[in-house]
Each structure stands twice: as structure tokens, then as C-alpha cells.
Amino acid sequence: MKWALVAFTLLLVASAIAEEVGNDLEIAKECNEATCILPNCRCSSTDIPGGLDPRDTPQLVLLTFDDGVNVVNVQKYRTLYGRKNKNGCPIGVTYFVNHEYTNYRLVNELYNMGFEIALHSISHQTPQTYWAEATYETMMREFADQKRQMAHFANIPINDIHGMRIPFLQMSGNSSFQMMNSAGLTYDSSWPTSRFTNPGLWPYTLDYASTQDCMIPPCPTASIPGPWVLPLITWFDLNGFPCSFVDACIFRPDINDEEAWFRFIMGNFERHYKGNRAPFGFYVHEWFITSTPAIRRAFTRFLDLLNNLHDVFMVNASEAIEFARNPVKIDEYKKKACRSRPFAPCPFKSCGPLTAEHTLMTYWMEVCTACPNVYPWLGNPLGN
Ligand code: ZN
């Protein structure tokens, strides 16, 4: 009886603590530029960090690809190997990878090419309301667990995993940002803006209230010091409608018209380059680039052009956050050493058939570690 009472009291204490994590948040106040200072705090603003002049500001370009990495799309990713910025450093590309159907041997390969591996959830499940309503605990299972899972199966250092993007860019209010603090994630790249495009919104923190438009609610309302928001500054299609992903633009050039595609891409790029030089995002899914020769050629021409501009740098998304935290003029930026990482080996194994406990489907996986016992999934990210 006594033990039952103790257990009951412990349960009460535990649930009180859980409530604090979940709900005891302070509503964010209007940002105060005098107290919110770099490198750890920045108001949501279109001002260039460090008060730089646009012509002194490196134009950072973020090429990102979403979803599983597999033997089909890696063919396209491999064509980016060896490409360099004008300063001689290898370009950056960021992959927001979800777990299902991902080949971890290939993730390891992308990592070793210097690209950034970021998180895109374990399940990537529908319906979209799942993400809108996701609690802190759900986001921990989808992202904090995925961080461990990615580091484990792709054999990459866990401290090199910094970023995340929620499936369907569906915001989940405060819970994803609270989770980021627990999981040691630096930036979120899920939040589109069509209001702050010219001048563009630079990355910022959530110590204070965001002024960003909330296109896919719920957006965070609490003061959550720590994580950075890397806003997805939308493109505009030919009729002026905003699109967060290039493949989501509705009124777009004829798929066989390379010249029109090149102009379309350039038009969107120049809004940044000739404006306040907020990082320019080329956010896309691989199939779209590969789908037609004209788009593929226009894309390649665009990258060739970027790589010949002395003030443009294709970088990993986390490097854009690093720049926002520690802004420097172009001349100094160019002098920085290129990124380098110790090689991460992959003594790979093909595993399967592995049964998924949630669907009873069977899967095959390639991993850089020992094979899991069952197909890894929510609640069992390492497949023990
Ligand atoms: Zn996705």
C-alpha cells in the first residue's frame, strides 16, 4: 500500500514535469534589438546581419533536395560532385532525408563529398494534420530519434547533423522548436515566407516574437531561445503566385523551353542578388530536375553561372546559419578555409528482408553498421 502511494506520488510529479516541458512556455514579446544580439539572438528582420552593405555581402545559395536517398536519385546527385565556387572551395548541397526507402550507404557517400545531411522525419507520414497537431513527444520520435538513427546507419558524426525540415512544410507550432533544443538541432528550414521576399528575410532566432507571415499554421508563438529559423523565401511563378519549392510553381515555363527556364530561374535569383542578398534557396525534388532535358540544361547553366561569380557561394544550409551568426564582408569570407571533414568509412551491409512491425511489409536496407533486427521505425529507430 505504502509503495503504491509512493508510485502514485512519483507519477504525479512526473506528469507535472511533463506539463512544464509541454505547456509552460512564455509567449514571445516584441523583439528588442538592443538585447537581442549576435551570435545567439537575432530579431526576425530583412536587415543584413552585421549591418553589412549589400555589395559587401556574399550571396549564399542553398540548393536542397528532399526525401529518401536511393540508387535512382543518387545518379543526379553525383553530377554535382567536383563542382566548385569561384573561390575554389567545393559547393555545398543540403539533403533533407527521411528514413523510409533511404539507402544509408549512399547517405554516407553524400556526406563524404562534403554535403550536408539534414533530417526530414522517420515516417514522413500523411495526413498533413499529423504534423500540424504533432506534440513535443511526437516530434522527438520523428526527429530526435532520427538524428541518432541517421548517425548510426550512415556512420556519420552525430554532431554534424544540424538541420531539419518538416514534411509538407507543415509547421507544428512550438513543439518542433522545443524538440530542437532537446535534440541539439540548430536550424529549421520548414517555414515559408511570401511577404518578406524583396528585401528577403534573413535567418533569425525565436527569443522574441517572429514577424514572419505564417503560410501553413500553426507557427511558433513562444519565446524559444536556441534554434534558428532559416526562412524559405518563396519564388514567384510566371503569374506572380508564390512557390516554396521550384516544383510547386504552378505557372511555369514550357517544360521544353530551356531558355525560358533559365530566365525564370535567373529572375528569381536576381531578386536576392540585386536586393539584400538574403540566402537564395533553390528548393526542389530530384525528379523534377531530371524529368526533362530542357529543365536539366537550364539548371546546369544556372549553376555554371553561379560558380563563375566572385560574390556568390553555393553552401550547405548550416553554413548560411553560421554566416548569419558571424557575418563578414566578401573579401574576408573568400579567405576562409574550405570545409574539411575526416572521412567517415562505410563497411556496408545489405540487410533484409526486414519486417516492419507497423505495416508487416518487408524492406531491404543498405547500412554502414550491423544490420538491424527489424525494420527501424518510430519508437525503435535502430531496429533493435
Ligand atoms: Zn518530403
Side-chain angles (χ1 to χ4, degrees):
M1 187 64 200
K2 208 170 172 185
W3 278 113
L5 195 68
V6 171
F8 181 64
T9 314
L10 281 177
L11 201 70
L12 278 183
V13 171
S15 66
I17 290 170
E19 233 173 55
E20 245 176 52
V21 173
N23 305 320
D24 192 22
L25 286 168
E26 228 182 281
I27 292 288
K29 298 188 181 73
E30 193 181 330
C31 198
N32 179 347
E33 300 221 354
T35 53
C36 182
I37 47 174
L38 296 177
N40 294 325
C41 186
R42 192 181 129 86
C43 299
S44 62
S45 153
T46 59
D47 295 345
I48 304 176
L52 297 184
D53 195 274
R55 64 168 176 257
D56 292 328
T57 308
Q59 175 66 62
L60 305 181
V61 174
L62 310 179
L63 174 62
T64 79
F65 293 99
D66 284 23
D67 303 340
V69 172
N70 56 52
V71 291
V72 177
N73 55 30
V74 79
Q75 307 291 343
K76 178 68 198 170
Y77 302 154
R78 283 177 177 149
T79 66
L80 300 164
Y81 296 178
R83 196 175 263 284
K84 288 192 163 97
N85 291 312
K86 185 75 175 164
N87 65 342
C89 290
I91 64 162
V93 182
T94 303
Y95 296 87
F96 291 94
V97 182
N98 65 286
H99 161 67
E100 198 173 23
Y101 302 120
T102 279
N103 181 319
Y104 289 95
R105 175 172 64 90
L106 300 177
V107 171
N108 173 280
E109 177 181 316
L110 294 172
Y111 173 83
N112 278 315
M113 294 312 295
F115 300 149
E116 178 172 354
I117 305 302
L119 308 177
H120 193 41
S121 84
I122 289 182
S123 80
H124 203 297
Q125 63 184 280
T126 51
Q128 205 168 322
T129 48
Y130 168 80
W131 301 99
E133 293 160 6
T135 59
Y136 168 83
E137 287 75 18
T138 300
M139 293 311 257
M140 286 296 284
R141 281 154 55 93
E142 291 282 6
F143 286 96
D145 283 358
Q146 197 200 2
K147 188 181 176 191
R148 285 197 296 136
Q149 180 184 58
M150 187 69 76
H152 177 76
F153 288 124
N155 194 34
I156 61 180
I158 198 160
N159 295 333
D160 266 348
I161 301 173
H162 306 291
M164 61 171 281
R165 178 172 286 163
I166 306 171
F168 320 111
L169 307 183
Q170 174 59 62
M171 301 296 286
S172 60
N174 297 320
S175 52
S176 61
F177 292 94
Q178 285 179 274
M179 174 280 292
M180 289 174 72
N181 271 343
S182 306
L185 290 169
T186 314
Y187 73 90
D188 173 82
S189 179
S190 314
W191 191 348
T193 175
S194 64
R195 191 193 295 163
F196 298 100
T197 54
N198 191 18
L201 187 60
W202 276 82
Y204 62 92
T205 63
L206 291 175
D207 302 59
Y208 294 95
S210 170
T211 55
Q212 185 174 347
D213 43 329
C214 186
M215 295 175 70
I216 314 176
C219 292
T221 51
S223 167
I224 307 176
W228 283 72
V229 177
L230 174 62
L232 277 71
I233 299 175
T234 59
W235 285 30
F236 290 99
D237 72 13
L238 297 176
N239 285 2
F241 291 107
C243 27
S244 309
F245 279 86
V246 181
D247 42 271
C249 296
I250 296 166
F251 298 100
R252 51 200 191 202
D254 185 293
I255 55 166
N256 298 311
D257 191 340
E258 176 191 331
E259 196 51 41
W261 264 97
F262 183 71
R263 281 201 310 271
F264 176 58
I265 298 169
M266 282 303 292
N268 279 291
F269 170 70
E270 283 178 346
R271 198 164 39 248
H272 291 242
Y273 188 50
K274 295 180 174 170
N276 74 339
R277 299 212 167 169
F280 174 69
F282 197 115
Y283 306 128
V284 74
H285 295 84
E286 174 276 338
W287 56 264
F288 186 76
I289 300 280
T290 340
S291 60
T292 65
I295 297 176
R296 201 160 61 225
R297 284 196 302 268
F299 173 73
T300 305
R301 266 173 72 187
F302 176 63
L303 299 193
D304 289 347
L305 179 131
L306 295 185
N307 298 158
N308 276 299
L309 293 172
H310 74 98
D311 48 4
V312 175
F313 305 85
M314 286 178 68
V315 295
N316 289 336
S318 61
E319 292 170 310
I321 300 298
E322 199 41 50
F323 178 84
R325 290 164 59 95
N326 301 292
V328 292
K329 290 184 180 178
I330 289 171
D331 290 344
E332 203 174 321
Y333 192 79
K334 278 198 280 201
K335 286 186 209 145
K336 285 169 58 155
C338 302
R339 87 178 74 82
S340 72
R341 299 165 167 169
F343 179 75
C346 182
F348 79 95
K349 289 193 184 61
S350 295
C351 314
L354 295 166
T355 304
E357 287 165 338
H358 63 294
T359 55
L360 299 182
M361 276 167 59
T362 49
Y363 292 81
W364 279 260
M365 289 173 76
E366 282 199 335
V367 301
C368 303
T369 47
C371 287
N373 296 323
V374 295
Y375 190 67
W377 201 246
L378 296 176
N380 185 8
L382 305 186
N384 292 323

